[in-house]
Amino acid sequence: MDVDGDLWVLTRHAEHCTDKDAAAIADYQSAPIYHPAREVRVDRYLVNSTTNCWVELTIAGIDDTSLLFKVSHKQVVLDRRLLSWWGLKVHSYPSEYDDLY
């Protein structure tokens, strides 16, 4: 999968990424698009040869889109994106909750 010209592999299991889950969830929960009534969970990871990982979060009730958070080995969120499941296309991160629909 291509993100800004870099190739990443989508996977459900990446041991070097699981410690980055909490940073991605905390960043999502601090954003204007967060909705406390919708459960969030880590679904997959995008990995490559770096120590950074894209953590994919799925949001309950949103069926064809997920959120991606690029997290460094120091648990710092470096970037945020939206992932459309239709052709696995990466888009800009939404600025408000209604942008997810």
Side-chain angles (χ1 to χ4, degrees), residues 70-83:
K70 186 177 186 181
V71 183
S72 75
H73 70 283
K74 293 184 178 183
Q75 314 303 321
V76 175
V77 174
L78 304 171
D79 200 352
R80 298 161 194 86
R81 299 293 173 97
L82 192 72
L83 178 63

Side-chain angles (χ1 to χ4, degrees), residues 46-86:
L46 291 171
V47 298
N48 65 9
S49 61
T50 69
T51 58
N52 299 330
C53 295
W54 286 94
V55 178
E56 180 188 29
L57 301 182
T58 56
I59 312 301
I62 301 175
D63 297 326
D64 59 358
T65 302
S66 57
L67 303 175
L68 293 175
F69 295 83
K70 186 177 186 181
V71 183
S72 75
H73 70 283
K74 293 184 178 183
Q75 314 303 321
V76 175
V77 174
L78 304 171
D79 200 352
R80 298 161 194 86
R81 299 293 173 97
L82 192 72
L83 178 63
S84 169
W85 294 355
W86 294 97

